Amino acid sequence: MIRVLFAARDAAWPEWETPLRDAFADAGLDVDLARDHPADKVDYIVLAPNGPVGDFAPFTACKAVLNLWAGVEDVVHNPTLTQPLARMVDPGLTQGMVEYVTGHVLRHHLGLDAHLHGQDGQWRPDPPPLAADRRVGILGLGALGLACADMLRHLGFDVAGWSRRLHDGLPFPAFAGQDGLATLLRRSDILVLLLPLTDATRHVLNATTLAQLPMGAVVLNPGRGGLIDDAALLAALDTGQVGHATLDTFTTEPLPPDHPFWAHPGVTVTPHIASATRPVTAARTVAENIRRGEAGEPLLHLVDRKAGY
Ligand code: NAP
């Protein structure tokens, strides 16, 4: 019997219990899934970082902590966490992000706002360029960035990307390092942030890097709020250096009511809804990792504690 502790807020249990039990059964795992096992008897923790477990020291027999979220910045530096940590890669979460990013890229590419708001009776027959003439830059070429790049390329966009390590063999230009970032930014009419928040990525968009974008570029940030220096972004919006920012993630969430992003005409705020872990598909990722753990196979999506993601 494998003891699995579900460590998330009470409200999450009803939506997760059945998908997890089904996924464990489908994987042939004999699991005792509960929210209150004795700590020293727990084999695996299924964790939401905003849930009840913040001290991992009592879980002396725990073989791995399986995060329910893609982002691990709230748990990766926890000094009591000595067990391996796996982050979430979920086809449902990925699909949701692809839909969000594609929708918002198309909004700006097609100039939809001009037709939705402020119609003034003037007939301006200026069709938008084709996608092939719109350069989209993606910061972060992981599970989410690559899936978004794939969809945008299928729509015809001129896609390029940036990651920590140089990825060979991608069907689009890819860059790494500080010089690579400048190259990527200079060719990004629309910039999508899908980086994790780490010491190395905090404020990756700042006064210097925002100035490397083409004048009037659009910024989409479904990554993490801390990737952007808010004051620098507001200044770049005010000069027109950034034409619009669609922001889903913020340094402080919920975004405080008096934050200037709410009122700024160049900012669209979405309330961290770009995507979410979907229990039915994500439970299969959890089950597969427990199956691997029990079989002595390497876990999927292990977090590199030093790199922070
Ligand atoms: P991932 O698979 O771990 O990919 C992360 C990517 O970022 C990798 O390509 C990595 O480079 C790159 N990267 C990391 N540090 C870097 C650095 N210092 N410089 C340049 N590139 C760097 O993560 P994911 O699953 O795609 O998720 C990305 C992020 O999306 C999550 O961490 C989370 O913050 C955010 N997210 C948001 C929502 C939402 O609803 N808004 C939902 C889910 C996730 P390498 O390829 O070289 O490793």
Side-chain angles (χ1 to χ4, degrees), residues 79-227:
T80 67
L81 180 65
T82 53
Q83 302 86 348
L85 172 67
R87 59 191 203 82
M88 177 52 68
V89 175
D90 159 32
L93 182 147
T94 301
Q95 176 64 22
M97 185 60 78
V98 168
E99 293 178 13
Y100 177 94
V101 168
T102 305
H104 286 277
V105 165
L106 284 172
R107 168 191 171 192
H108 295 295
H109 167 61
L110 296 174
L112 293 180
D113 291 23
H115 307 287
L116 293 172
H117 309 296
Q119 303 212 26
D120 56 6
Q122 300 298 310
W123 187 259
R124 297 188 188 86
D126 301 323
L130 289 177
D133 297 318
R134 190 77 72 185
R135 300 167 301 174
V136 180
I138 302 181
L139 301 188
L141 297 175
L144 301 178
L146 283 177
C148 291
D150 198 40
M151 176 59 79
L152 294 170
R153 282 186 62 252
H154 276 90
L155 289 170
F157 286 100
D158 181 1
V159 170
W162 182 71
S163 56
R164 184 164 66 97
R165 297 158 292 200
L166 198 54
H167 291 246
D168 291 326
L170 291 175
F172 55 84
F175 307 95
Q178 281 308 304
D179 290 350
L181 178 60
T183 306
L184 189 280
L185 293 175
R186 277 195 288 271
R187 50 108 54 230
S188 295
D189 303 315
I190 300 176
L191 182 73
V192 183
L193 276 68
L194 280 170
L195 293 163
L197 183 60
T198 68
D199 291 345
T201 62
R202 191 176 304 278
H203 288 192
V204 65
L205 273 198
N206 52 48
T208 303
T209 50
L210 285 164
Q212 292 165 340
L213 288 165
M215 190 72 174
V218 168
V219 172
L220 306 185
N221 186 15
R224 282 292 182 263
L227 299 172

